[in-house]
Amino acid sequence: MAKADSKSANKAGKTNKSSLEQVLNEQVANLNVLYVKIHNYHWYVKGENFFTLHAKFEELYDEVTEKMDAVAERLLTIKGSPAATMKEYLEIATIHEATGKEDQRAMVQTLVEDFATLSESFQEGIELADKAGDEATADLLTGFIADLEKHMWMLRTYLG
Ligand SMILES: [Fe+2]
């Protein structure tokens, strides 16, 4: 299926059922895009909250890369094949790269939205893993949702 078709099917409410492997692979791609995006924010954030956000973004990209590795290795464990090139990540990811025009509030707001996107994908992964009797994958993703919910709470609180 062409990339555009696959994305529009996703947005239209999954007219084509995704497999657990596809969902996990999309997570690997989205986490890789986020890893680069949060570095962008870490480097280019400006203003009175520079020190706070510069440090927070570093904490977040470290966590994002740990999650990326964990999902990819879980995918290998269940005999899947995680994407492992930047080209594939950009083709598969549903999260957009940084625009380079975000001010500090837009950076935080965008991360809240991206974490919500990931959280929904983790929930979808849990449901597919449950159906497949794959408790380990469901447990892994459940912990990730809790982590992201905490970050979303903090980032929303920062925005006021
Ligand atoms: Fe740094």
Side-chain angles (χ1 to χ4, degrees):
M1 180 190 291
K3 182 178 131 198
D5 290 347
S6 138
K7 284 201 173 164
S8 57
N10 283 350
K11 284 195 179 122
K14 308 279 176 198
T15 47
N16 295 302
K17 273 249 179 261
S18 301
S19 71
L20 178 59
E21 284 85 356
Q22 284 171 331
V23 169
L24 294 178
N25 207 26
E26 183 182 287
Q27 291 164 9
V28 171
N30 276 336
L31 287 161
N32 269 291
V33 169
L34 259 184
Y35 182 68
V36 174
K37 184 175 191 170
I38 302 173
H39 271 85
N40 180 302
Y41 292 172
H42 172 73
W43 294 328
Y44 289 105
V45 65
K46 290 184 173 62
E48 61 189 2
N49 299 313
F50 171 82
F51 289 108
T52 304
L53 289 176
H54 180 73
K56 175 54 76 176
F57 293 151
E58 180 168 347
E59 176 197 323
L60 292 176
Y61 69 62
D62 281 343
E63 189 177 313
V64 156
T65 194
E66 279 174 23
K67 285 180 166 44
M68 183 277 291
D69 187 53
V71 174
E73 290 181 355
R74 183 67 204 160
L75 191 44
L76 286 161
T77 304
I78 62 173
K79 308 214 179 324
S81 304
T85 63
M86 298 306 295
K87 186 166 180 282
E88 288 171 293
Y89 295 148
L90 288 172
E91 282 170 5
I92 296 167
T94 58
I95 286 177
H96 300 294
E97 295 201 89
T99 65
K101 292 180 182 144
E102 297 94 335
D103 62 15
Q104 50 182 299
R105 283 189 70 83
M107 288 175 177
V108 174
Q109 181 62 46
T110 301
L111 288 184
V112 171
E113 289 162 16
D114 290 345
F115 285 167
T117 298
L118 263 183
S119 195
E120 281 170 28
S121 175
F122 289 146
Q123 185 58 46
E124 185 186 4
I126 290 165
E127 286 160 19
L128 290 167
D130 280 343
K131 274 186 202 147
D134 179 353
E135 282 182 34
T137 299
D139 280 356
L140 179 75
L141 301 182
T142 300
F144 286 180
I145 288 179
D147 293 341
L148 290 184
E149 284 176 343
K150 184 171 174 181
H151 291 311
M152 285 190 280
W153 159 63
M154 288 188 175
L155 295 170
R156 285 194 184 108
T157 303
Y158 172 88
L159 289 170

